Amino acid sequence: MELIRASLTPFALPLVRSVKTGRETIDERRGILLEIGDSCGLKGWGEATPMDGFGTESFWEAWDCLVQFLPVLLEKEPGSIDRTVERFRVAFPAANAALSALDTALCDLSARQQGCSMATFLAGEFRTDARLTIKVNALLTAQDTAAIVAEAGEKFLQGFRTFKIKVGVLSVEEDLDRVGAVRKKLGDGVNIRLDANGAWTRDEAARALQALSSFDIEYIEQPLSAGDLQGSADLRGIQPVPLAADESVCSVEDMEKVLKYGAADYIILKPAAAGGPRMGMYMGKRAAGYAVPCVITTLMDGAVGRAMATHVAASLSFQQSCAAGLATGSLLSADLSGGLKVQDGKISLNEVKGLGVDIDPNQLAKVASAETTEFVR
């Protein structure tokens, strides 16, 4: 792989409306678009969109790491993706978002050079089977009960059959009203999953989950703080709702701790926070060794980051018995690209080359927060 150019473009993607979690209110997603190019004119894209609470570096830390590394990358002779990624990881061990951008761009370009999808490329590298259609969940963001019921109805008509609701922002009683109303609206033929983002104490979580269990909850993400693995393990034994570890899993080392503690029934795997597609694949295969399913999700990334996570989900087909958390593009009022399409609650990768996402310069200009920085060999 002979790389002759690269560029970095900072961007800011506003949300349609604020997303409130148990930790914060999110109004926009700020990140960096990486483009690399080879001597044949092919391009690969990567995205670093850090998020507080998921083990990533800050925006400026990611920017500085990429600015330092790209000139070195272009000066050296072409090497394998493994060696390049390892060089970056050694130089910048805490820069997972920047590493994700680099790994994604290299895998995207390699897949395009081979004329296949990134999912097929990753499946070949990791000896798995790629699936070309992935079920996805709908994230419901309304806080008011009537509004979230209306939102759920709209998503149901769009073909979604798995729904995710943020809890822990309001009181337990208000969350019970919201979840119960959505279950009543949608009936028993759909899955409802919850996400508390670590908002509850042990006592609050036990009380809430006992009550919520009557609504047939698929699982709840991070009911306790990320570091309380013993509490999560204990909580699994005293209430009937399956638990999923999310913020507790920011690295492969974190995941190993969660699995050894028996602190989760599911692993929520965010490849963008873990260090990119290759680390996502590795972690998915490791979790399979413990017979714990992974649910692949985004960091509410732009189109490039979402596409990367989708290809990882497709390549970990043996892990994907339930819907993935990949349909977050509708949360953004502006984006890097049109991205992969969600239709009838699914994403298809048929006839996709590389990521299946290309950047329109005019569209990028609308979300760019500063000028592009170019690197040339």
Side-chain angles (χ1 to χ4, degrees), residues 122-370:
L122 291 172
E125 289 282 302
F126 286 85
R127 300 182 181 180
T128 62
D129 294 319
R131 182 171 56 194
L132 297 181
T133 302
I134 303 98
K135 295 184 297 182
V136 295
N137 70 237
L139 174 61
L140 306 180
T141 60
Q143 295 295 304
D144 176 75
T145 298
I148 200 170
V149 167
E151 186 181 8
E154 292 172 5
K155 295 295 185 181
F156 184 88
L157 293 177
Q158 293 171 15
F160 290 94
R161 295 298 180 264
T162 299
F163 300 82
K164 177 176 171 178
I165 301 173
K166 295 282 188 179
V167 295
V169 177
L170 305 174
S171 68
V172 171
E173 289 71 25
E174 289 171 302
D175 282 335
L176 287 170
D177 287 342
R178 295 164 68 239
V179 175
V182 170
R183 173 57 78 192
K184 182 178 180 180
K185 170 70 175 180
L186 299 178
D188 296 331
V190 305
N191 294 317
I192 294 178
R193 54 182 60 161
L194 308 176
D195 186 0
N197 292 114
W200 291 329
T201 66
R202 294 186 184 188
D203 288 343
E204 288 171 337
R207 181 169 68 90
L209 294 178
Q210 287 289 353
L212 287 163
S213 65
S214 63
F215 302 124
D216 189 22
I217 303 303
E218 183 182 19
Y219 62 72
I220 181 165
E221 298 178 27
Q222 209 65 55
L224 305 179
S225 63
D228 191 4
L229 300 186
Q230 186 59 58
S232 293
D234 294 342
L235 187 62
R236 287 182 68 205
I238 62 173
Q239 55 77 42
V241 178
L243 304 189
D246 187 3
E247 287 92 335
S248 295
V249 183
C250 296
S251 67
V252 65
E253 293 80 12
D254 288 344
M255 186 182 74
E256 295 282 357
K257 290 179 183 178
V258 168
L259 295 172
K260 288 176 180 177
Y261 263 88
D265 301 283
Y266 294 84
I267 296 294
I268 306 301
L269 177 54
K270 292 177 165 62
R278 301 175 70 79
M279 183 54 73
M281 292 294 297
Y282 176 75
M283 291 174 67
K285 293 191 74 173
R286 287 290 295 159
Y290 287 84
V292 175
C294 288
V295 181
I296 312 301
T297 69
T298 76
L299 277 176
M300 289 193 287
D301 318 84
V304 172
R306 296 195 310 275
M308 180 272 287
T310 302
H311 286 272
V312 172
S315 305
L316 290 172
S317 57
F318 60 92
Q319 277 280 22
Q320 295 299 297
S321 59
C322 53
L326 304 168
T328 53
S330 61
L331 301 176
L332 304 173
S333 62
D335 203 350
L336 302 168
S337 164
L340 299 175
K341 302 299 182 185
V342 179
Q343 188 170 9
D344 294 328
K346 302 180 183 68
I347 299 175
S348 173
L349 297 178
N350 285 303
E351 300 182 4
V352 165
K353 296 295 186 292
L355 279 171
V357 173
D358 288 299
I359 305 301
D360 180 342
N362 294 325
Q363 190 164 343
L364 177 60
K366 295 177 182 178
V367 298
S369 55

Side-chain angles (χ1 to χ4, degrees), residues 21-172:
T21 75
R23 293 193 324 274
E24 61 182 331
T25 298
I26 303 171
D27 297 306
E28 71 172 9
R29 297 293 289 120
R30 190 180 182 206
I32 305 159
L33 179 68
L34 167 64
E35 176 190 350
I36 60 174
D38 69 7
S39 56
C40 297
L42 292 176
K43 299 177 181 179
W45 301 98
E47 177 185 337
T49 309
M51 179 177 279
D52 182 48
F54 286 94
T56 68
E57 70 278 27
S58 70
F59 169 89
W60 284 114
E61 288 168 336
W63 177 269
D64 288 342
C65 292
L66 289 168
V67 167
Q68 291 179 57
F69 189 78
L70 290 179
V72 178
L73 175 66
L74 294 178
E75 287 172 5
K76 289 186 174 292
E77 290 301 315
S80 71
I81 297 176
D82 271 341
R83 287 198 295 272
T84 301
V85 165
E86 185 57 27
R87 279 177 22 225
F88 186 95
R89 185 178 287 114
V90 169
F92 309 104
N96 277 359
L99 176 60
S100 178
L102 177 66
D103 192 18
T104 300
L106 292 170
C107 289
D108 183 25
L109 180 57
S110 295
R112 291 175 193 264
Q113 290 172 337
Q114 295 178 23
C116 66
S117 69
M118 184 189 285
T120 300
F121 173 77
L122 291 172
E125 289 282 302
F126 286 85
R127 300 182 181 180
T128 62
D129 294 319
R131 182 171 56 194
L132 297 181
T133 302
I134 303 98
K135 295 184 297 182
V136 295
N137 70 237
L139 174 61
L140 306 180
T141 60
Q143 295 295 304
D144 176 75
T145 298
I148 200 170
V149 167
E151 186 181 8
E154 292 172 5
K155 295 295 185 181
F156 184 88
L157 293 177
Q158 293 171 15
F160 290 94
R161 295 298 180 264
T162 299
F163 300 82
K164 177 176 171 178
I165 301 173
K166 295 282 188 179
V167 295
V169 177
L170 305 174
S171 68
V172 171

